[in-house]
Amino acid sequence: MEELIVEEVVALLEQEDNTQLKQYLDDLNISDVEHLIDELPQHAVTFIDVLSSKRAVNVFRILDFPTQEKIIKKLPGNKLAELINLLPPDDRTSLFSELKGDAVKKLIILLPAKDRVEALSLLGYEEDSVGRLMTPDYVAVKKHWTVARVLDHIRRYGKNSETIDVIYVIDRDGVLLDDIRIREILLANPEALIGDLTDQRLIALKANDHQEEAINVFRMNNRVALPVVDNNNVLLGIVTVDDILWIANEEYTEDMHKIGGTQALDEPYLDMPIIGLFKRRIGWLVVLFLGEMLTATAMGHFEADIAKAVILAMFVPLIISSGGNSGSQASTLIIQAMALGEITVGDWWRVMRRELISGLMLGVVLGAIGFLRIFVWTFFTDMYGPHWALIGITVGVALVGVVLWGSLAGSMLPLLLKKLGADPATSSAPFVATLVDVTGLIIYFSVAVMFLTGVLL
């Protein structure tokens, strides 16, 4: 179906008949037009230009920023002015926050004086704050109003609201008192007072809260919108669930990039210039490389022991990979649990206790497998010599220690970074693996010295 749409649009473009193209595009779903822009990016400006203003806005707001930026640069001035003016304040703020200073100035000039003040006000909040997400388009009523008066108010002003699913009750100073779902108002007696319908179970966001906090609040509460207040509880705007879903997707993508050991990409992978990919990856690779150089330093410290028992070097990859894998597992689990709000920094002792037990159990299993491997090999080769049992015990005990240490390091590091105010996702799997590689070698050779001194060492 989508391929057929593309073929028909290409045919209309070749005919250079914008009237028929407009009629065709106006009959499509918004998502279909977005797909057309993805498939035919060279015609994106034409599609937005020929669409009716409202449909153009609805398409434009769901495009990714690089595509939006390209459209803005080439869109005719009158259409651009319509587009910017009709964009909801939260989407407009999101766009302005991504653009460079000069571009923002040119677009803000296109806005009416009132909207210009509103846009500059929203841009005054920190980049990742809830204030950047909110829209001032909502319906607010007073608690002494009757239901009939509220319904009349909604009919007059509701069309300009982001949503009328929820109505907000404020006092004369603008302080938020409660919110009421439209369903309760529609089913109430027309003469009932709004104050009698409130239940005082208000959930609100702070304008200066981080956007991740808003994501968690929406996740825990079944709401289509939440009010945003200042420190004095004055209602400033609302945040709707569609914006939260968008931000949640961006946060998830950013965390996945960091967990993979790279900086977050601000453009789709295939649209990112090679030099941009290089810059976002080289920093972490250099840090991890320098960290891995400590592995050589650790092995150099035990050079004499390795020379006496070369057999120990065979198990170095096995040891460090097991510790790194267990650390990466623990780190990923904890980062995800923190992102979902399942654990906080205050739960560190419970986390440590669980990882002590699970890390010990995992280590015992891997250690037993390591010992069994050496035991089985003695039936086919004499490479381990008469002291195969001590070597097996050394490898087994070292695996227990390294896996236990990897689990503890991987689980505690994200909590420590959160405590210090850093992003837990920075304690990515590669970083934890590198840390455990170095310390794992120290554990391994320390165990070898303990069991093999006077025998092989």
Side-chain angles (χ1 to χ4, degrees):
M1 180 64 180
E2 291 179 344
E3 293 180 0
L4 179 62
I5 292 175
V6 173
E7 292 175 2
E8 291 179 350
V9 168
V10 169
L12 290 173
L13 288 168
E14 291 174 349
Q15 296 173 17
E16 298 183 356
D17 188 341
N18 284 349
T19 301
Q20 287 191 21
L21 179 62
K22 179 182 185 304
Q23 292 176 350
Y24 187 86
L25 294 179
D26 281 341
D27 290 335
L28 294 178
N29 292 326
I30 298 300
S31 57
D32 291 332
V33 181
E34 181 196 17
H35 176 71
L36 279 172
I37 292 175
D38 289 338
E39 292 293 319
L40 305 169
Q42 69 274 25
H43 299 293
V45 174
T46 301
F47 295 150
I48 295 296
D49 190 24
V50 302
L51 281 170
S52 60
S53 297
K54 288 186 178 180
R55 285 181 59 80
V57 168
N58 289 331
V59 172
F60 182 83
R61 63 187 298 202
I62 63 175
L63 298 174
D64 56 50
F65 171 70
T67 305
Q68 290 179 335
E69 187 176 27
K70 293 173 185 176
I71 291 173
I72 286 173
K73 289 179 179 178
K74 298 181 180 179
L75 200 64
N78 60 334
K79 189 70 175 187
L80 179 60
E82 286 182 1
L83 190 69
I84 296 302
N85 277 278
L86 289 175
L87 269 178
D90 51 344
D91 292 312
R92 189 189 301 145
T93 302
S94 177
L95 174 64
F96 287 175
S97 64
E98 295 281 359
L99 292 169
K100 295 180 181 179
D102 291 340
V104 174
K105 291 178 183 177
K106 292 178 182 178
L107 293 179
I108 284 182
I109 292 174
L110 300 175
L111 297 172
K114 179 183 176 182
D115 291 342
R116 198 179 307 161
V117 172
E118 179 182 270
L120 291 172
S121 174
L122 291 175
L123 285 171
Y125 293 102
E126 293 185 9
E127 183 176 353
D128 293 324
S129 67
V130 171
R132 285 289 187 97
L133 293 178
M134 70 180 181
T135 173
D137 295 336
Y138 56 87
V139 175
V141 300
K142 305 295 178 60
K143 66 178 183 179
H144 62 271
W145 289 8
T146 63
V147 168
R149 181 176 177 183
V150 168
L151 291 174
D152 182 60
H153 183 76
I154 293 172
R155 293 187 191 97
R156 294 177 61 188
Y157 302 104
K159 64 181 179 180
N160 296 322
S161 176
E162 183 84 0
T163 176
I164 59 171
D165 290 350
V166 184
I167 309 301
Y168 300 93
V169 184
I170 59 175
D171 66 11
R172 62 182 181 181
D173 297 320
V175 174
L176 179 63
L177 302 176
D178 207 347
D179 56 5
I180 304 176
R181 301 194 183 202
I182 189 66
R183 178 177 181 272
E184 299 175 26
I185 295 176
L186 293 175
L187 297 177
N189 188 314
E191 300 304 318
L193 297 178
I194 288 297
D196 296 334
L197 303 180
T198 58
D199 55 14
Q200 306 303 318
R201 292 186 296 179
L202 179 65
I203 301 172
L205 302 169
K206 296 287 187 181
N208 293 317
D209 284 348
H210 196 279
Q211 291 174 358
E212 285 189 358
E213 179 65 23
I215 295 172
N216 291 331
V217 174
F218 268 91
R219 183 182 292 119
M220 300 300 293
N221 300 276
N222 184 24
R223 298 296 183 99
V224 296
L226 282 175
V228 181
V229 298
D230 63 13
N231 293 330
N232 296 318
N233 209 41
V234 173
L235 181 60
L236 301 175
I238 63 172
V239 173
T240 51
V241 70
D242 59 324
D243 295 316
I244 290 298
L245 290 174
W246 186 270
I247 293 298
N249 180 63
E250 289 187 342
E251 292 286 346
Y252 175 79
T253 302
E254 181 180 344
D255 286 347
M256 288 302 100
H257 288 158
K258 289 182 178 179
I259 289 173
T262 182
Q263 293 183 32
L265 305 183
D266 51 15
E267 296 182 42
Y269 174 82
L270 293 177
D271 293 338
M272 174 69 68
I274 296 297
I275 189 65
L277 286 174
F278 168 78
K279 289 179 179 179
R280 282 162 175 76
R281 296 172 67 177
I282 190 61
W284 263 113
L285 284 178
V286 169
V287 171
L288 295 173
F289 179 76
L290 294 175
E292 289 290 359
M293 288 176 65
L294 296 175
T295 303
T297 304
M299 291 190 69
H301 181 72
F302 295 98
E303 182 180 3
D305 298 317
I306 296 174
K308 294 177 183 177
V310 179
I311 194 69
L312 294 176
M314 286 181 54
F315 296 98
V316 167
L318 175 71
I319 298 293
I320 62 177
S321 65
S322 297
N325 290 339
S326 67
S328 299
Q329 277 187 341
S331 175
T332 302
L333 289 172
I334 297 304
I335 291 172
Q336 180 68 1
M338 294 175 70
L340 295 175
E342 297 172 354
I343 61 174
T344 63
V345 175
D347 297 316
W348 70 271
W349 170 242
R350 293 176 60 194
V351 173
M352 177 179 283
R353 186 172 57 194
R354 293 173 66 87
E355 288 302 317
L356 275 170
I357 298 172
S358 60
L360 184 61
M361 293 169 63
L362 293 169
V364 168
V365 171
L366 295 185
I369 294 174
F371 180 86
L372 184 62
R373 189 266 190 195
I374 293 173
F375 171 70
V376 171
W377 250 245
T378 58
F379 291 100
F380 304 100
T381 178
D382 60 352
M383 63 186 299
Y384 301 118
H387 304 295
W388 66 267
L390 282 176
I391 295 174
I393 292 172
T394 297
V395 171
V397 173
L399 279 167
V400 173
V402 169
V403 171
L404 175 59
W405 166 244
S407 297
L408 288 174
S411 60
M412 291 295 104
L413 194 56
L415 293 171
L416 176 62
L417 290 174
K418 182 69 173 180
K419 178 68 174 178
L420 297 176
D423 188 348
T426 305
S427 59
S428 60
F431 182 75
V432 171
T434 301
L435 172 65
V436 178
D437 284 354
V438 179
T439 52
L441 282 175
I442 297 174
I443 293 172
Y444 174 45
F445 286 113
S446 297
V447 172
V449 169
M450 181 175 21
F451 284 103
L452 300 178
T453 298
V455 180
L456 292 178
L457 303 179

